Amino acid sequence: MPLRAQTIMGYVQGIHQSWLIDIAKTRFGQDITSGMATIETRFRYNPDVKSLPAMVPAVIPLLLLMIPAMLTALSVVREKELGSIINLYVTPVTRSEFLIGKQIPYIVLAMLNFLLLSLFAVVLFDVPVKGSFISRP
């Protein structure tokens, strides 16, 4: 439970800070809190700690990893069940060429799915996208 742990950590740091201020007051006899600097933790990504901007971008790669691999496996099994894979055994195509040829359509579909899912994330879920899809950081 990270939120509960962060709350407890804040309480402990506050108690320690007030104890340090009390020690400084007794040693130096003056209030030293007026010139103290404070350190704050700021989140650069998702500063409001909302769940949608964190979850929606995480689901997109999971879908794009699983769907093309499963569809490729299903197409190879379907060809084996129908018996049409025997035609490929007699052609001069290597196994890697056969598998790459089976995956290329699904890779193209995955790229289109990425664009569509990114559009849905921005339009439907209001996930902010900063930067460019084309240029590298």
Side-chain angles (χ1 to χ4, degrees):
M1 295 184 175
L3 292 177
R4 186 174 293 172
Q6 287 177 345
T7 303
I8 293 170
M9 184 179 74
Y11 286 141
V12 170
Q13 285 177 345
I15 292 168
H16 185 253
Q17 181 77 20
S18 65
W19 179 73
L20 287 175
I21 290 170
D22 289 342
I23 294 291
K25 282 182 185 178
T26 57
R27 282 204 181 153
F28 301 114
Q30 59 184 355
D31 188 16
I32 61 166
T33 59
S34 61
M36 290 181 61
T38 59
I39 297 174
E40 294 181 9
T41 303
R42 294 184 185 175
F43 297 105
R44 294 184 73 184
Y45 175 75
N46 195 8
D48 298 330
V49 192
K50 294 180 181 176
S51 63
L52 279 179
M55 293 299 291
V56 172
V59 171
I60 293 173
L62 290 175
L63 290 174
L64 294 178
L65 280 172
M66 292 192 172
I67 291 174
M70 288 190 312
L71 289 176
T72 303
L74 287 174
S75 70
V76 170
V77 169
R78 183 178 58 232
E79 283 191 16
K80 198 163 196 167
E81 286 178 350
L82 293 175
S84 62
I85 201 165
I86 295 173
N87 295 335
L88 290 170
Y89 288 151
V90 296
T91 60
V93 177
T94 63
R95 289 182 183 176
S96 60
E97 291 172 346
F98 172 71
L99 290 177
I100 289 172
K102 284 290 177 190
Q103 284 184 342
I104 286 175
Y106 299 115
I107 290 172
V108 171
L109 282 175
M111 289 181 187
L112 293 174
N113 281 339
F114 169 73
L115 293 174
L116 187 66
L117 290 172
S118 299
L119 180 71
F120 283 165
V122 172
V123 174
L124 294 178
F125 297 110
D126 293 328
V127 175
V129 176
K130 295 181 180 176
S132 174
F133 282 107
I134 299 169
S135 66
R136 299 171 91 185

